Every structure is written in structure tokens, then in C-alpha cells.
Amino acid sequence: MARDAGVSVATVSRIVNGKIGRASAETIARVEEAIARLSYRPNSVGRALRHRASRVVAMLAPNLDNPAMAAIAVSVESALRDAGYVMILCDTHDRAELQDDYLRAMRDQLVAGYVMVSAVRSKGLEETLKRGDPTVFVARRNPLGGGAYVGIDNRQAGADVADFLLGCGIERPAVLMAQQNASSTSERAAGFIERLVARGVPNDAIRRAIGPGLSHIEIGYAAAGMLVREGGWPRGALCVSDMIAYGAYRLAVEHGVPIPQRCRLVGVDGNAINAWIAPWLTSIRIPYESFGGHVVAQLQSLWSGVSTSEVHVAHEAPSAWSNPGAPARPATGAG
């Protein structure tokens, strides 16, 4: 449009935004005529994002029935409220097309930025990042690479579980994973396996059970079934999330297998409800209540044009609170 009116882009921008003090009446008339002829509409969304005209931040997270997701949402909402922002929460159900629907809808709402919890690769996410919209990734790294991130060191968490199980005298622990492993859970499994191998466990002796689907409870149930069919219950296992451990426990109950006496399950999340519904579960505790402050700090850096880096929040290793009075016992057919 600037070319059509015979003026600079900066001049058009000033006039469109009502700053006409430096422009002549003739220039203003040419620009206004070009606007009418070309049916030009200012990109109010982009302008709002650049200048933070909005005080609303969108959080996109999957499976809000997962206590870990709910804990992250509570923490971030509280921190944003303290900073003077309002949060809109959207459940993507781990589906790329739904994630994109919400990204488009939130852009139409002129949000100031996005908090992407456990994001998946999608076209809409790619477009959001190309525009430079302020975006912080939480729990799971940017599936497209780079970007501001808040989460734990997942490889170290996996290694801590390996050390814990070996310390319990469990020489051949297994790992229960999802078929569609995300970066966070795959890193936990990788750190677990790497530490076991480094401590002398043969790689081919580490049993790996993979469950299909998106629901971690169903994945845990299916993966535990795979273990039972292919050698029986191990003496101990890493479940890459607490929800996967819940699913494995359900199968153990159905088979009459006492947990943790016969098989010690170790999860990752440290959900607050564990003390009430899963006292049998040892878990890496992730302090989700502290995530909100880090997320807001990352957003503020993005809004200010300051470079960001990964924030690794310290997790609590299982030895810090596990029950030493419930040692794992050898099981018939166990690995």
C-alpha cells in the first residue's frame, strides 16, 4: 500500500495509527484514498502482540484430567494474576488439529503470549513461532526446536530412578513407556537406560514395555500387560509418569500382584493425590507449584526482547521420601 500511495511504510504506519502531525494534508489524503481503494485492514492482532496491548495470556495444555497438568495450570495462573495478567486455559487433548484451532482462536483474542504445556508438532505452532509471538514451552520442549522452556532435567530424573532401584537391590529393572513418546518421557527413559548400562546392567537385559494410545493410564495398563506376557512381573520398574504407574497398578491388582512388595513401581510427577490414592507408589516429585514464576519471567523476557534460555527446575529424587520399610521381593518369573 505504501508503494501505491507513493510514500514510505513508516509514513503509512504513522497515519494508520493516528500520528498525522508530521504528514501534509496531501499525504494523508493519498494514504486514506489508498486504504479505501485496497480495502486495507490494519493487523490489530500483530500490533497488540508486539506492544502487549492485551493483558491476557493463553495456556494450551493436554489432558487436564491429569493432576500434573492441573498443577501446572494452577501455578501459572497464580503467577500471571500476580503480574496483572488473566489466563485463558485450553485443553488440546494432545491433538495437533485441536492445538491449531486454539492457537487461531487465541490469536483472534489478541492474547499477549502463549504458554504451551506439552505441545505437539503442528502447522499452527510453526506459524505462531514464525510470527515471533511470545511463546514459552513447559514440561515438554518445543517439538520444532529452540524456544523458551521451563521443566525438569528429564534425563537426570531417569538416572535418579535407576540409582534408586539398583540401591534397592533390583538388578534388572524395567521401563514402561508410551508408543508415542514425547521429548520429556523419552528423555526420562533414555536417562534411566543410560545410567543402568553405565552401572553395569547389560543393555539387552533391560526390559522395555511400550503401550499405545494417548491416555497414560491406558498406556500403563497395556505396557504392564506386555511385561507379563513377555516374562512376568519385574522386581521394579520406571513408569515415565505417575499416570502410567496408575495403569500398571490396576493390572497388578487384577493379577493379585502386591505392589510394592513384589514389584516396586517408580513414577515421575509426584502428584499431590499420591498420598491419598497411591501410597504404594514411589515417585520423582516435580515442584510444579514453582513453575509459574519461571514461566512469567520467561514471558517478560520475551516481551522485553531479551534472550531466553532453558530453565531446569530441580526435582526431588525418590530416595528423599521413599519408604525403606517396603523392600521389593523376588517374584516368580521376575526379571
Side-chain angles (χ1 to χ4, degrees):
M1 189 183 69
R3 185 186 305 111
D4 194 83
V7 297
S8 69
V9 172
T11 297
V12 171
S13 179
R14 284 196 298 271
I15 293 173
V16 166
N17 287 286
K19 301 175 182 179
I20 60 176
R22 296 170 55 186
S24 68
E26 179 188 1
T27 298
I28 294 171
R30 288 207 312 272
V31 171
E32 290 178 343
E33 190 274 333
I35 288 174
R37 187 172 66 257
L38 299 174
S39 299
Y40 171 74
R41 294 180 62 190
N43 187 348
S44 58
V45 176
R47 187 165 64 248
L49 286 171
R50 286 193 299 274
H51 299 290
R52 287 188 292 139
S54 171
R55 304 296 292 182
V56 177
V57 171
M59 171 182 279
L60 279 65
N63 308 319
L64 293 175
D65 56 349
N66 183 333
M69 296 295 129
I72 294 172
V74 167
S75 176
V76 174
E77 188 277 333
S78 177
L80 283 168
R81 179 164 22 92
D82 289 345
Y85 288 82
V86 173
M87 187 179 87
I88 297 177
L89 180 59
C90 309
D91 191 339
T92 67
H93 298 280
D94 240 348
R95 290 163 44 196
E97 73 279 7
L98 192 52
Q99 176 176 284
D100 284 354
D101 286 346
Y102 279 128
L103 284 171
R104 284 190 292 270
M106 292 302 100
R107 183 166 173 78
D108 288 343
Q109 296 299 316
L110 311 183
V111 296
Y114 301 93
V115 179
M116 303 295 298
V117 183
S118 298
V120 296
R121 180 183 292 270
S122 71
K123 181 64 175 177
L125 179 60
E126 183 178 351
E127 292 170 352
T128 296
L129 297 177
K130 280 184 178 178
R131 283 193 303 267
D133 296 350
T135 305
V136 177
F137 294 89
V138 180
R140 186 186 296 171
R141 287 186 175 82
N142 177 4
L144 301 171
Y149 168 77
V150 175
I152 66 167
D153 183 339
N154 286 294
R155 282 184 179 272
Q156 184 59 51
D160 289 343
V161 175
D163 288 337
F164 172 75
L165 290 174
L166 291 175
C168 290
I170 300 168
E171 299 177 353
R172 296 291 187 272
V175 55
L176 278 65
M177 302 177 285
Q179 191 172 67
Q180 299 177 353
N181 252 356
S183 63
S184 54
T185 52
S186 63
E187 287 169 8
R188 292 168 191 172
F192 177 74
I193 292 167
E194 289 166 1
R195 179 59 60 87
L196 290 176
V197 171
R199 293 194 55 181
V201 179
N203 187 62
D204 58 5
I206 303 169
R207 298 172 63 194
R208 300 158 172 85
I210 300 173
L214 294 176
S215 165
H216 273 208
I217 288 183
E218 294 175 0
I219 289 168
Y221 186 88
M226 175 182 171
L227 280 181
V228 172
R229 290 190 301 273
E230 298 181 4
W233 286 89
R235 292 182 57 209
L238 163 64
C239 302
V240 293
S241 74
D242 281 0
M243 298 285 276
I244 284 180
Y246 300 163
Y249 179 75
R250 170 60 183 267
L251 187 75
V253 170
E254 292 177 1
H255 285 207
V257 175
I259 304 293
Q261 293 84 354
R262 184 171 173 183
C263 175
R264 186 184 288 273
L265 299 176
V266 182
V268 180
D269 280 322
N271 289 325
I273 63 172
N274 286 354
W276 295 91
I277 68 168
W280 46 267
L281 178 62
T282 300
S283 183
I284 290 277
R285 182 178 181 273
I286 303 176
Y288 291 123
E289 68 277 3
S290 69
F291 275 33
H294 294 295
V295 169
V296 171
Q298 293 276 56
L299 281 170
Q300 290 171 334
S301 294
L302 292 168
W303 290 329
S304 303
V306 178
S307 61
T308 60
S309 58
E310 291 191 353
V311 174
H312 282 162
V313 181
H315 61 269
E316 296 178 23
S319 58
W321 71 90
S322 55
N323 178 9
R329 299 171 187 169
T332 303

